[in-house]
Amino acid sequence: MKTATLASIALAITISAAHAQTIGVSMSDLDKFRTALLNGVVSHGQTISGLKLVTESAKGDNELQKKQVQQFVADKVDAIIVAVSDGDLGPQMSKIAADAGIPLIYINNVPSNLMDLPDNQVVVASNEKESGTLETKQVCTLLKGKGRVVVLMGEPFHAAARARTQDISDVIATPDCKGLQIVERQAAYWSSDYAYQQMQEWLSAGVKFDAVIANNDEMALGAIRAMKKNNIPMKDVVVAGVDATDDALAAMVAGDLDVTILQSAVGQGAAAVDAAVKLIRKEKVPRENNVPFELVTPENIATYLPKSQ
């Protein structure tokens, strides 16, 4: 009891000394990657003395997410970190925060009003030109520049989904990969279950393909699940995703997944918190803060296993 009391007093002193700064965090949803992203924010926030994090999930509801940000403003938080599902929400989110004079940090998804952000609003994300490009170039290499490809896309209005899908087309347009042909392309909304259903439809329709290129790992894993249910040998199909989640790395170790791209949830989370703290202190932060992507394959996976999300 005495130890617990002393610990409580010490905690109170620490919080008081740091003026109990509060950051509100609103996630558009909590799928596998966005949960890892939130964990990255929270774990880094816990290393900063006196910093309080208030976290919310909008569960895919854009209106609910706007209300969450408005509530953060009403509660007078010191900064807001927001992961929007739709970049077009940017102008509305920015106005809410700007009117209140509260720093706003967009994490993972780039808002449509990127070039118009005020000085106390920034973006922490990864350059999507790297993700789909690294992914598709590796698929091209494994197929020796020739083959039929199906593409599973994330949410059509998500900037990362649009960019990664465009990356695929751009790589296929290059001389070394022009022998690749996209035979099907459908949105599976970042979801393993939607990807599973879409793959089942393609297989039922007799679609022939040599590779699956997915905008994220969850969809790649859903496609793998459907193919295995239909007794398709995974050695006969190249499967690629993005995020290097723990499930994806396990699938790669098992020989089911051939390519993934590390998008560091830990790195983005830490960078977002650091940016928020600096903006609270009125320090300058670059408008765009890039956390690099990295190619992960069976050849180098041992390096990435400790870094799984």
Side-chain angles (χ1 to χ4, degrees):
M1 180 66 71
K2 182 177 180 181
T3 302
T5 301
L6 290 174
S8 299
I9 293 172
L11 179 60
I13 291 172
T14 300
I15 292 175
S16 176
H19 306 295
Q21 292 173 334
T22 301
I23 298 175
V25 184
S26 174
M27 306 298 296
S28 58
D29 208 344
L30 288 177
D31 58 12
K32 188 77 174 181
F33 178 76
R34 281 175 280 203
T35 297
L37 191 64
L38 178 59
N39 289 341
V41 170
V42 171
S43 61
H44 188 66
Q46 289 173 340
T47 69
I48 300 174
S49 179
L51 187 66
K52 178 183 178 183
L53 295 174
V54 179
T55 65
E56 298 284 356
S57 169
K59 301 177 182 177
D61 186 331
N62 290 345
E63 288 302 315
L64 176 58
Q65 189 164 43
K66 282 194 289 184
K67 290 178 181 177
Q68 289 171 352
V69 172
Q70 289 168 336
Q71 187 61 53
F72 288 151
V73 168
D75 292 340
K76 297 183 174 9
V77 299
D78 297 286
I80 298 169
I81 296 174
V82 61
V84 291
S85 62
D86 186 349
D88 289 339
L89 283 174
Q92 298 174 64
M93 296 296 191
S94 287
K95 186 177 188 310
I96 293 169
D99 287 349
I102 296 175
L104 178 64
I105 299 85
Y106 291 96
I107 186 171
N108 188 245
N109 194 7
V110 179
S112 61
N113 60 323
L114 171 64
M115 302 312 296
D116 300 321
L117 295 179
D119 290 342
N120 68 343
Q121 296 188 14
V122 302
V123 177
V124 173
S126 298
N127 184 351
E128 294 299 345
K129 188 65 181 174
E130 299 172 3
S131 60
T133 299
L134 287 170
E135 177 188 26
T136 309
K137 280 185 175 180
Q138 184 64 14
V139 170
C140 177
T141 297
L142 293 173
L143 291 180
K144 297 180 171 56
K146 296 180 181 180
R148 296 161 63 89
V149 176
V150 295
V151 178
L152 289 165
M153 302 181 295
E155 295 154 345
F157 45 77
H158 195 292
R162 291 197 297 263
R164 292 175 191 179
T165 303
Q166 184 60 49
D167 292 344
I168 296 169
S169 297
D170 290 346
V171 171
I172 289 177
T174 62
D176 289 344
C177 303
K178 63 183 180 181
L180 297 180
Q181 177 189 4
I182 297 175
V183 295
E184 289 286 352
R185 183 169 60 188
Q186 293 292 337
Y189 304 93
W190 307 120
S191 164
S192 175
D193 289 339
Y194 277 121
Y196 173 86
Q197 294 167 10
Q198 183 58 64
M199 179 56 71
Q200 289 282 28
E201 290 180 17
W202 284 337
L203 294 174
S204 297
V207 176
K208 303 297 182 185
F209 54 89
D210 303 294
V212 178
I213 303 180
N215 284 169
N216 79 338
D217 286 337
E218 285 289 282
M219 293 187 292
L221 296 177
I224 288 171
R225 185 156 48 97
M227 287 186 284
K228 293 179 82 168
K229 183 174 182 180
N230 285 271
N231 299 314
I232 295 175
M234 295 314 302
K235 64 181 178 60
D236 295 342
V237 183
V238 173
V239 184
V242 176
D243 287 336
T245 63
D246 51 0
D247 290 342
L249 296 180
M252 185 172 285
V253 170
D256 296 333
L257 184 70
D258 301 281
V259 183
T260 188
I261 309 297
L262 176 69
Q263 179 178 201
S264 177
V266 171
Q268 288 188 13
V273 172
D274 287 342
V277 170
K278 288 179 181 178
L279 289 173
I280 290 170
R281 295 173 181 166
K282 309 296 184 183
E283 297 176 19
K284 286 191 68 66
V285 177
R287 177 187 292 153
E288 298 180 66
N289 300 270
N290 181 41
V291 179
F293 284 102
E294 300 173 41
L295 175 67
V296 183
T297 68
E299 289 71 33
N300 69 359
I301 189 173
T303 303
Y304 291 92
L305 286 172
K307 297 166 71 174
S308 65
Q309 307 299 345

